[in-house]
Amino acid sequence: MNSISMMTSFVFGIFTSKVISVFLGTSGMALIGSFRNFANFSKSTATLGLNNSVIKIMVEHKENQKELSLIFQTFFSIFIVISVLFSALLVFFSIDISNYLFFSDAYSNYIKLFAVFLPFMIVTVLFSSVLNSFERYKRIVKIQIASSVFVFVTSILLIYYIGLSGGILSVISGEIILFFVTYLYFRKQFDFIHYGINFNLEKAHLKTIFSFSQMAFVSAVLIPLSLIIIRNFIVKNYSIQEAGVWDALNRISSFYMMFFGSGLSLYYMPKLASIETDIEFKEELKAYYKTLVPLFLVVILLVYFFRTFIVKLALTDEFIGVNDLMIWQVLGDLLKIMSLAFGFQILVKTMLVRYFIIEIVFNLVYVLLAWYLLPTQSVEGVVQAYFIANLCSFCLMLFFFRKLLFVPNC
């Protein structure tokens, strides 16, 4: 079922990229990419990374409906209060945000519109977390497929008839559609949950919330923020068209990374969660590097050698510059997949210090090197920075797990 959802997202993603490239060009690709990063950053900030905490706590009280309802009310209250406050900030600074994202204040009303619907988007995150805690994976996949279909059709119509404004609206409308589809199912299946304001939470849950929210929050905020900053570097040093080419490269990368990332979350991560000794983890590492890494290597080799065909299929000739950048992107993605073998272990075992160091180092190296290399290497310097940042992350992983890897009988 998950493979069907991934395939649906892949196909619709290809078609959506084609529509954006045909009707909006490289500049439209860059601006919509910027707004998507802003949307992800806003949702992550407004949830404070608490969605993983919801899953953990809900699982622990799965059999107690009264307690579940109280827990839901507490997180519902927290999410609503934070999202409303954050929405107010977005409205107040809408002109400044528009100038930073779109280099014009003409899109400030779209920032305000996004702010109005942000609480609904945040509640969707809560609904999805509850569904995950009850392991309703088939239903989650059905919701994703149904939402993808509606979002795809809506996006195409908006972009075709309204242009760039339609593309921006499609990001907002996609979130609204996801809210309604998720809510309709949630209301039907979880009728024992009552909506209300409640801020009572047991102290025992606070440690879970603190550890999980920190890790999720840092990653979810740093990544989109880094991408927004780098995109602005490109626009100011070169042009918005060059930024669009870079965004298109990231979209192509996201297509195949989505398959592997989803598969690892569903199958590899649960295995690590059940592992208790370093010897068992070492065996899983061997299996990972013998099967998944070679498979990924085959995929990126195919992507690289058929890059011209892929660009023509998913984009237009205006994006032909993607071909020259692809080598650094696929090498960086390979290092990322190699690092994830250790990264999921850090996540599962909540190794907070290691997690923060890796996330901060990766994003800091990526942004600073992009800023340094861009003036002399053009956009290729940005993709080289991505490769080097992933190389630094991988070296850090080897350092953190050096005893496991290099000390005999460990």
Side-chain angles (χ1 to χ4, degrees):
M1 198 69 181
N2 183 64
S3 60
I4 296 174
S5 175
M6 290 298 100
M7 185 57 66
T8 303
S9 300
F10 175 77
V11 172
F12 287 160
I14 291 287
F15 276 107
T16 303
S17 297
K18 188 71 174 182
V19 170
I20 293 173
S21 63
V22 169
F23 291 102
L24 304 180
T26 49
S27 59
M29 183 73 74
L31 293 176
I32 290 177
S34 189
F35 190 72
R36 285 187 187 280
N37 294 150
F38 162 74
N40 291 333
F41 168 79
S42 299
K43 288 191 296 180
S44 301
T45 303
T47 58
L48 297 178
L50 292 174
N51 45 310
N52 287 328
S53 303
V54 176
I55 297 173
K56 175 74 172 175
I57 295 172
M58 283 280 188
V59 167
E60 292 173 352
H61 298 83
K62 192 181 292 186
E63 305 302 324
N64 188 337
Q65 291 190 355
K66 184 179 179 180
E67 184 68 19
L68 281 175
S69 185
L70 291 173
I71 292 170
F72 177 86
Q73 288 176 19
T74 301
F75 279 107
F76 180 79
S77 304
I78 294 171
F79 280 16
I80 290 296
V81 170
I82 296 172
S83 60
V84 168
L85 291 175
F86 191 72
S87 293
L89 287 174
L90 294 182
V91 171
F92 186 78
F93 292 104
S94 58
I95 293 177
D96 297 305
I97 295 170
S98 178
N99 281 321
Y100 189 73
L101 294 177
F102 304 108
F103 313 98
S104 166
D105 61 5
Y107 296 93
S108 60
N109 286 334
Y110 295 103
I111 303 298
K112 293 175 183 176
L113 183 65
F114 175 84
V116 169
F117 287 105
L118 180 61
F120 296 93
M121 302 175 197
I122 300 309
V123 172
T124 305
V125 174
L126 178 58
F127 289 156
S128 299
S129 298
V130 175
L131 290 171
N132 269 303
S133 66
F134 278 83
E135 299 179 349
R136 303 287 175 87
Y137 301 127
K138 287 186 177 180
R139 182 56 60 178
I140 293 171
V141 170
K142 288 179 180 178
I143 289 172
Q144 290 173 342
I145 293 173
S147 301
S148 296
V149 173
F150 285 120
V151 169
F152 173 71
V153 173
T154 304
S155 299
I156 300 305
L157 292 174
L158 286 171
I159 292 171
Y160 181 77
Y161 286 106
I162 313 179
L164 177 59
S165 296
I168 295 170
L169 285 173
S170 70
V171 177
I172 302 173
S173 64
E175 297 288 350
I176 298 170
I177 290 169
L178 182 59
F179 167 77
F180 281 110
V181 172
T182 309
Y183 172 70
L184 289 173
Y185 172 77
F186 188 87
R187 185 182 63 176
K188 181 179 178 181
Q189 296 294 317
F190 297 92
D191 55 354
F192 63 86
I193 287 181
H194 303 289
Y195 298 88
I197 302 300
N198 176 32
F199 290 98
N200 294 321
L201 198 64
E202 293 181 19
K203 291 182 178 180
H205 298 326
L206 295 178
K207 185 177 180 181
T208 299
I209 292 174
F210 183 72
S211 59
F212 275 87
S213 62
Q214 281 186 97
M215 297 173 75
F217 181 74
V218 169
S219 178
V221 168
L222 282 181
I223 292 173
L225 188 59
S226 296
L227 293 175
I228 291 172
I229 293 170
I230 291 171
R231 186 182 293 102
N232 281 21
F233 284 164
I234 298 172
V235 173
K236 290 176 181 177
N237 281 273
Y238 287 90
S239 68
I240 196 168
Q241 287 74 25
E242 289 294 312
V245 171
W246 174 72
D247 258 299
L249 177 67
N250 287 332
R251 283 182 74 91
I252 292 173
S253 169
S254 70
F255 292 147
Y256 57 80
M257 291 296 286
M258 173 180 63
F259 279 100
F260 281 88
S262 176
L264 291 174
S265 297
L266 281 175
Y267 305 110
Y268 182 65
M269 195 171 177
K271 280 188 176 181
L272 294 183
S274 63
I275 285 175
E276 296 181 356
T277 66
D278 286 341
I279 294 174
E280 289 177 303
F281 176 52
K282 202 168 185 178
E283 290 303 312
E284 281 299 324
L285 275 179
K286 290 178 182 178
Y288 184 98
Y289 276 88
K290 285 181 180 179
T291 55
L292 287 171
V293 173
L295 178 61
F296 186 78
L297 183 59
V298 171
V299 170
I300 62 171
L301 284 174
L302 289 172
V303 169
Y304 179 73
F305 287 115
F306 289 95
R307 61 191 185 281
T308 303
F309 170 76
I310 292 171
V311 169
K312 289 184 178 180
L313 175 68
L315 304 164
T316 64
D317 289 340
E318 191 178 359
F319 293 84
I320 201 68
V322 168
N323 289 342
D324 299 327
L325 307 175
M326 187 68 76
I327 182 64
W328 295 108
Q329 183 70 38
V330 295
L331 288 175
D333 289 338
L334 176 61
L335 286 169
K336 184 178 285 291
I337 288 293
M338 292 170 67
S339 298
L340 283 177
F342 304 96
F344 276 107
Q345 177 74 347
I346 290 174
L347 190 64
V348 167
K349 304 304 180 184
T350 57
M351 303 174 183
L352 292 177
V353 175
R354 292 183 181 186
Y355 185 86
F356 291 147
I357 291 173
I358 290 167
E359 286 294 329
I360 292 170
V361 167
F362 171 81
N363 286 281
L364 197 60
V365 170
Y366 191 13
V367 171
L368 291 179
L369 273 180
W371 171 79
Y372 178 75
L373 294 173
L374 186 62
T376 56
Q377 302 295 320
S378 184
V379 181
E380 186 176 11
V382 174
V383 193
Q384 289 172 344
Y386 173 74
F387 165 75
I388 296 170
N390 276 296
L391 179 60
C392 290
S393 292
F394 182 64
C395 290
L396 274 174
M397 294 290 189
L398 295 180
F399 175 76
F400 286 143
F401 291 91
R402 61 192 182 280
K403 290 184 179 179
L404 176 75
L405 297 173
F406 307 118
V407 177
N409 302 319
C410 181

